[in-house]
Amino acid sequence: MQANTPDKPVSFTALRTLPIFEALNDERLADIVPIAALRSVKRGAVILKAGDHTDNIYLVLAGSLKVKISDQGGREVILTVLGPGEMFGEMGAIDEHPRSATVVAAERCNLVVIAKDDFKRCLAENFEVSLYIIENLVKRLRKADRKIESLALIDVYGRVARLLLEMAEIEEGRKVVRRRITRQEIAKTIGASREMVSRVMRDLQLQGLIEEVNGSIWLCEQITPHAAAKPQACDPPV
């Protein structure tokens, strides 16, 4: 772990913002405060590496992190990007297996750190936390299923479209991707070359299916992973 500042105590208020603890009453949440710590890391810091054994679980208070794997030739695949409220490291804490992926800070991050044994005790004592973990793992499994489907059945155009749709938020009735993502990051996420992704993004813009404005990507409602690659009308953002 490449930490940039010593761990600090984490506040009750900070823990209350995390979805994993939102169902706990104040008394039970107060019991978690002493076993949690606040850790700040800089952009590029390696939080954990694939193959390492599990010591802690992490919850994201602020910032974003890339979860990635790589082969012996150095080629990387980005499995997902984590943001505020999300967690990582829990799989290794539960099954005692080495870490399955490497997690790197994409920007400066604030993380809540809980030791593995304390986390497992928290699961045993709080049904709501255990249920959250189960639901989170199910969501992750469904996402993995969709990614396998994309790689097997959908072309690069469809994979780019699906990724943008998964990242999008709704603003004033429109879908928009606010988080900045490079062509290279898209390529590593969907298993394609950067050149192909650049070509697809240009195609989508020419067809009016996406509009890039000030670093954000606005999506036309007609865009789907299976949409035909032909020009379609789409109102520009206002």
PDB file of all heavy atoms in Angstrom, residues 110-131:
ATOM      1  N   ASN A 110      -9.910   9.594  -0.480  1.00  0.00           N
ATOM      2  CA  ASN A 110     -10.052   9.359   0.948  1.00  0.00           C
ATOM      3  C   ASN A 110     -10.752   8.015   1.125  1.00  0.00           C
ATOM      4  O   ASN A 110     -11.840   7.802   0.590  1.00  0.00           O
ATOM      5  CB  ASN A 110     -10.871  10.464   1.617  1.00  0.00           C
ATOM      6  CG  ASN A 110     -10.121  11.782   1.684  1.00  0.00           C
ATOM      7  OD1 ASN A 110      -8.890  11.803   1.775  1.00  0.00           O
ATOM      8  ND2 ASN A 110     -10.835  12.884   1.637  1.00  0.00           N
ATOM      9  N   LEU A 111     -10.103   7.124   1.872  1.00  0.00           N
ATOM     10  CA  LEU A 111     -10.611   5.772   2.050  1.00  0.00           C
ATOM     11  C   LEU A 111     -10.815   5.467   3.528  1.00  0.00           C
ATOM     12  O   LEU A 111     -10.043   5.902   4.381  1.00  0.00           O
ATOM     13  CB  LEU A 111      -9.623   4.746   1.480  1.00  0.00           C
ATOM     14  CG  LEU A 111      -9.155   4.948   0.030  1.00  0.00           C
ATOM     15  CD1 LEU A 111      -8.062   3.941  -0.305  1.00  0.00           C
ATOM     16  CD2 LEU A 111     -10.320   4.825  -0.928  1.00  0.00           C
ATOM     17  N   VAL A 112     -11.875   4.722   3.816  1.00  0.00           N
ATOM     18  CA  VAL A 112     -12.060   4.156   5.151  1.00  0.00           C
ATOM     19  C   VAL A 112     -11.480   2.747   5.134  1.00  0.00           C
ATOM     20  O   VAL A 112     -11.813   1.939   4.259  1.00  0.00           O
ATOM     21  CB  VAL A 112     -13.548   4.121   5.543  1.00  0.00           C
ATOM     22  CG1 VAL A 112     -13.736   3.354   6.855  1.00  0.00           C
ATOM     23  CG2 VAL A 112     -14.087   5.546   5.692  1.00  0.00           C
ATOM     24  N   VAL A 113     -10.592   2.467   6.072  1.00  0.00           N
ATOM     25  CA  VAL A 113      -9.901   1.178   6.122  1.00  0.00           C
ATOM     26  C   VAL A 113     -10.337   0.427   7.377  1.00  0.00           C
ATOM     27  O   VAL A 113     -10.337   0.982   8.479  1.00  0.00           O
ATOM     28  CB  VAL A 113      -8.375   1.376   6.140  1.00  0.00           C
ATOM     29  CG1 VAL A 113      -7.662   0.031   6.068  1.00  0.00           C
ATOM     30  CG2 VAL A 113      -7.938   2.272   4.994  1.00  0.00           C
ATOM     31  N   ILE A 114     -10.715  -0.845   7.196  1.00  0.00           N
ATOM     32  CA  ILE A 114     -11.097  -1.700   8.319  1.00  0.00           C
ATOM     33  C   ILE A 114     -10.329  -3.003   8.202  1.00  0.00           C
ATOM     34  O   ILE A 114     -10.301  -3.629   7.132  1.00  0.00           O
ATOM     35  CB  ILE A 114     -12.615  -1.988   8.323  1.00  0.00           C
ATOM     36  CG1 ILE A 114     -13.407  -0.683   8.432  1.00  0.00           C
ATOM     37  CG2 ILE A 114     -12.989  -2.919   9.475  1.00  0.00           C
ATOM     38  CD1 ILE A 114     -14.918  -0.862   8.383  1.00  0.00           C
ATOM     39  N   ALA A 115      -9.684  -3.429   9.272  1.00  0.00           N
ATOM     40  CA  ALA A 115      -8.906  -4.669   9.261  1.00  0.00           C
ATOM     41  C   ALA A 115      -9.818  -5.859   8.990  1.00  0.00           C
ATOM     42  O   ALA A 115     -10.991  -5.870   9.371  1.00  0.00           O
ATOM     43  CB  ALA A 115      -8.187  -4.844  10.601  1.00  0.00           C
ATOM     44  N   LYS A 116      -9.261  -6.868   8.336  1.00  0.00           N
ATOM     45  CA  LYS A 116     -10.033  -8.039   7.917  1.00  0.00           C
ATOM     46  C   LYS A 116     -10.785  -8.689   9.078  1.00  0.00           C
ATOM     47  O   LYS A 116     -11.987  -8.969   8.970  1.00  0.00           O
ATOM     48  CB  LYS A 116      -9.099  -9.062   7.275  1.00  0.00           C
ATOM     49  CG  LYS A 116      -9.770 -10.374   6.896  1.00  0.00           C
ATOM     50  CD  LYS A 116      -8.751 -11.367   6.350  1.00  0.00           C
ATOM     51  CE  LYS A 116      -7.769 -11.800   7.419  1.00  0.00           C
ATOM     52  NZ  LYS A 116      -6.821 -12.825   6.912  1.00  0.00           N
ATOM     53  N   ASP A 117     -10.120  -8.937  10.188  1.00  0.00           N
ATOM     54  CA  ASP A 117     -10.776  -9.611  11.310  1.00  0.00           C
ATOM     55  C   ASP A 117     -11.890  -8.761  11.907  1.00  0.00           C
ATOM     56  O   ASP A 117     -12.945  -9.279  12.287  1.00  0.00           O
ATOM     57  CB  ASP A 117      -9.747  -9.970  12.391  1.00  0.00           C
ATOM     58  CG  ASP A 117      -8.780 -11.055  11.928  1.00  0.00           C
ATOM     59  OD1 ASP A 117      -9.126 -11.782  10.964  1.00  0.00           O
ATOM     60  OD2 ASP A 117      -7.683 -11.173  12.515  1.00  0.00           O
ATOM     61  N   ASP A 118     -11.666  -7.448  11.985  1.00  0.00           N
ATOM     62  CA  ASP A 118     -12.713  -6.551  12.479  1.00  0.00           C
ATOM     63  C   ASP A 118     -13.905  -6.534  11.526  1.00  0.00           C
ATOM     64  O   ASP A 118     -15.066  -6.505  11.953  1.00  0.00           O
ATOM     65  CB  ASP A 118     -12.168  -5.132  12.642  1.00  0.00           C
ATOM     66  CG  ASP A 118     -11.186  -5.010  13.799  1.00  0.00           C
ATOM     67  OD1 ASP A 118     -11.342  -5.760  14.782  1.00  0.00           O
ATOM     68  OD2 ASP A 118     -10.276  -4.168  13.711  1.00  0.00           O
ATOM     69  N   PHE A 119     -13.626  -6.561  10.240  1.00  0.00           N
ATOM     70  CA  PHE A 119     -14.695  -6.573   9.242  1.00  0.00           C
ATOM     71  C   PHE A 119     -15.531  -7.852   9.351  1.00  0.00           C
ATOM     72  O   PHE A 119     -16.770  -7.799   9.312  1.00  0.00           O
ATOM     73  CB  PHE A 119     -14.080  -6.456   7.851  1.00  0.00           C
ATOM     74  CG  PHE A 119     -15.063  -6.626   6.728  1.00  0.00           C
ATOM     75  CD1 PHE A 119     -16.025  -5.662   6.482  1.00  0.00           C
ATOM     76  CD2 PHE A 119     -15.026  -7.752   5.912  1.00  0.00           C
ATOM     77  CE1 PHE A 119     -16.931  -5.813   5.435  1.00  0.00           C
ATOM     78  CE2 PHE A 119     -15.922  -7.913   4.868  1.00  0.00           C
ATOM     79  CZ  PHE A 119     -16.874  -6.937   4.637  1.00  0.00           C
ATOM     80  N   LYS A 120     -14.884  -8.991   9.512  1.00  0.00           N
ATOM     81  CA  LYS A 120     -15.620 -10.261   9.612  1.00  0.00           C
ATOM     82  C   LYS A 120     -16.458 -10.298  10.887  1.00  0.00           C
ATOM     83  O   LYS A 120     -17.572 -10.819  10.898  1.00  0.00           O
ATOM     84  CB  LYS A 120     -14.638 -11.433   9.564  1.00  0.00           C
ATOM     85  CG  LYS A 120     -13.953 -11.553   8.217  1.00  0.00           C
ATOM     86  CD  LYS A 120     -12.873 -12.612   8.202  1.00  0.00           C
ATOM     87  CE  LYS A 120     -13.459 -14.000   8.074  1.00  0.00           C
ATOM     88  NZ  LYS A 120     -12.396 -15.007   7.821  1.00  0.00           N
ATOM     89  N   ARG A 121     -15.958  -9.699  11.952  1.00  0.00           N
ATOM     90  CA  ARG A 121     -16.736  -9.620  13.185  1.00  0.00           C
ATOM     91  C   ARG A 121     -17.938  -8.698  12.991  1.00  0.00           C
ATOM     92  O   ARG A 121     -19.040  -8.976  13.491  1.00  0.00           O
ATOM     93  CB  ARG A 121     -15.852  -9.118  14.329  1.00  0.00           C
ATOM     94  CG  ARG A 121     -16.535  -9.153  15.697  1.00  0.00           C
ATOM     95  CD  ARG A 121     -15.546  -9.001  16.837  1.00  0.00           C
ATOM     96  NE  ARG A 121     -14.771  -7.768  16.739  1.00  0.00           N
ATOM     97  CZ  ARG A 121     -13.491  -7.724  16.405  1.00  0.00           C
ATOM     98  NH1 ARG A 121     -12.831  -8.843  16.117  1.00  0.00           N
ATOM     99  NH2 ARG A 121     -12.849  -6.567  16.353  1.00  0.00           N
ATOM    100  N   CYS A 122     -17.732  -7.624  12.229  1.00  0.00           N
ATOM    101  CA  CYS A 122     -18.831  -6.705  11.922  1.00  0.00           C
ATOM    102  C   CYS A 122     -19.928  -7.426  11.134  1.00  0.00           C
ATOM    103  O   CYS A 122     -21.121  -7.223  11.387  1.00  0.00           O
ATOM    104  CB  CYS A 122     -18.294  -5.518  11.123  1.00  0.00           C
ATOM    105  SG  CYS A 122     -19.537  -4.344  10.583  1.00  0.00           S
ATOM    106  N   LEU A 123     -19.546  -8.287  10.195  1.00  0.00           N
ATOM    107  CA  LEU A 123     -20.528  -9.058   9.436  1.00  0.00           C
ATOM    108  C   LEU A 123     -21.327  -9.973  10.351  1.00  0.00           C
ATOM    109  O   LEU A 123     -22.550 -10.108  10.212  1.00  0.00           O
ATOM    110  CB  LEU A 123     -19.828  -9.896   8.360  1.00  0.00           C
ATOM    111  CG  LEU A 123     -19.151  -9.159   7.202  1.00  0.00           C
ATOM    112  CD1 LEU A 123     -18.562 -10.164   6.221  1.00  0.00           C
ATOM    113  CD2 LEU A 123     -20.137  -8.250   6.484  1.00  0.00           C
ATOM    114  N   ALA A 124     -20.635 -10.621  11.280  1.00  0.00           N
ATOM    115  CA  ALA A 124     -21.298 -11.566  12.178  1.00  0.00           C
ATOM    116  C   ALA A 124     -22.279 -10.869  13.122  1.00  0.00           C
ATOM    117  O   ALA A 124     -23.308 -11.434  13.494  1.00  0.00           O
ATOM    118  CB  ALA A 124     -20.253 -12.333  12.987  1.00  0.00           C
ATOM    119  N   GLU A 125     -21.993  -9.625  13.471  1.00  0.00           N
ATOM    120  CA  GLU A 125     -22.806  -8.915  14.459  1.00  0.00           C
ATOM    121  C   GLU A 125     -23.893  -8.037  13.845  1.00  0.00           C
ATOM    122  O   GLU A 125     -24.787  -7.581  14.564  1.00  0.00           O
ATOM    123  CB  GLU A 125     -21.895  -8.045  15.337  1.00  0.00           C
ATOM    124  CG  GLU A 125     -20.911  -8.850  16.181  1.00  0.00           C
ATOM    125  CD  GLU A 125     -19.913  -7.975  16.930  1.00  0.00           C
ATOM    126  OE1 GLU A 125     -19.910  -6.747  16.660  1.00  0.00           O
ATOM    127  OE2 GLU A 125     -19.147  -8.521  17.750  1.00  0.00           O
ATOM    128  N   ASN A 126     -23.829  -7.812  12.532  1.00  0.00           N
ATOM    129  CA  ASN A 126     -24.780  -6.901  11.891  1.00  0.00           C
ATOM    130  C   ASN A 126     -25.345  -7.530  10.625  1.00  0.00           C
ATOM    131  O   ASN A 126     -24.681  -7.544   9.570  1.00  0.00           O
ATOM    132  CB  ASN A 126     -24.092  -5.574  11.541  1.00  0.00           C
ATOM    133  CG  ASN A 126     -23.602  -4.829  12.771  1.00  0.00           C
ATOM    134  OD1 ASN A 126     -24.368  -4.191  13.478  1.00  0.00           O
ATOM    135  ND2 ASN A 126     -22.306  -4.927  13.035  1.00  0.00           N
ATOM    136  N   PHE A 127     -26.560  -8.038  10.726  1.00  0.00           N
ATOM    137  CA  PHE A 127     -27.207  -8.686   9.577  1.00  0.00           C
ATOM    138  C   PHE A 127     -27.325  -7.719   8.407  1.00  0.00           C
ATOM    139  O   PHE A 127     -27.140  -8.111   7.246  1.00  0.00           O
ATOM    140  CB  PHE A 127     -28.598  -9.188   9.979  1.00  0.00           C
ATOM    141  CG  PHE A 127     -29.412  -9.656   8.804  1.00  0.00           C
ATOM    142  CD1 PHE A 127     -29.169 -10.887   8.223  1.00  0.00           C
ATOM    143  CD2 PHE A 127     -30.421  -8.849   8.278  1.00  0.00           C
ATOM    144  CE1 PHE A 127     -29.909 -11.324   7.130  1.00  0.00           C
ATOM    145  CE2 PHE A 127     -31.163  -9.278   7.186  1.00  0.00           C
ATOM    146  CZ  PHE A 127     -30.909 -10.513   6.614  1.00  0.00           C
ATOM    147  N   GLU A 128     -27.619  -6.446   8.677  1.00  0.00           N
ATOM    148  CA  GLU A 128     -27.814  -5.472   7.604  1.00  0.00           C
ATOM    149  C   GLU A 128     -26.542  -5.304   6.765  1.00  0.00           C
ATOM    150  O   GLU A 128     -26.611  -5.159   5.545  1.00  0.00           O
ATOM    151  CB  GLU A 128     -28.227  -4.113   8.174  1.00  0.00           C
ATOM    152  CG  GLU A 128     -29.569  -4.113   8.893  1.00  0.00           C
ATOM    153  CD  GLU A 128     -29.422  -4.439  10.389  1.00  0.00           C
ATOM    154  OE1 GLU A 128     -28.331  -4.913  10.784  1.00  0.00           O
ATOM    155  OE2 GLU A 128     -30.385  -4.206  11.124  1.00  0.00           O
ATOM    156  N   VAL A 129     -25.382  -5.328   7.433  1.00  0.00           N
ATOM    157  CA  VAL A 129     -24.120  -5.199   6.709  1.00  0.00           C
ATOM    158  C   VAL A 129     -23.870  -6.449   5.866  1.00  0.00           C
ATOM    159  O   VAL A 129     -23.450  -6.364   4.712  1.00  0.00           O
ATOM    160  CB  VAL A 129     -22.953  -4.960   7.693  1.00  0.00           C
ATOM    161  CG1 VAL A 129     -21.619  -4.942   6.941  1.00  0.00           C
ATOM    162  CG2 VAL A 129     -23.144  -3.644   8.438  1.00  0.00           C
ATOM    163  N   SER A 130     -24.153  -7.620   6.424  1.00  0.00           N
ATOM    164  CA  SER A 130     -23.981  -8.868   5.673  1.00  0.00           C
ATOM    165  C   SER A 130     -24.886  -8.891   4.450  1.00  0.00           C
ATOM    166  O   SER A 130     -24.469  -9.316   3.355  1.00  0.00           O
ATOM    167  CB  SER A 130     -24.298 -10.078   6.570  1.00  0.00           C
ATOM    168  OG  SER A 130     -23.380 -10.177   7.626  1.00  0.00           O
ATOM    169  N   LEU A 131     -26.132  -8.440   4.609  1.00  0.00           N
ATOM    170  CA  LEU A 131     -27.061  -8.405   3.485  1.00  0.00           C
ATOM    171  C   LEU A 131     -26.562  -7.459   2.405  1.00  0.00           C
ATOM    172  O   LEU A 131     -26.661  -7.758   1.204  1.00  0.00           O
ATOM    173  CB  LEU A 131     -28.449  -7.982   3.964  1.00  0.00           C
ATOM    174  CG  LEU A 131     -29.558  -7.944   2.903  1.00  0.00           C
ATOM    175  CD1 LEU A 131     -29.758  -9.319   2.288  1.00  0.00           C
ATOM    176  CD2 LEU A 131     -30.868  -7.443   3.519  1.00  0.00           C
TER     177      LEU A 131
END
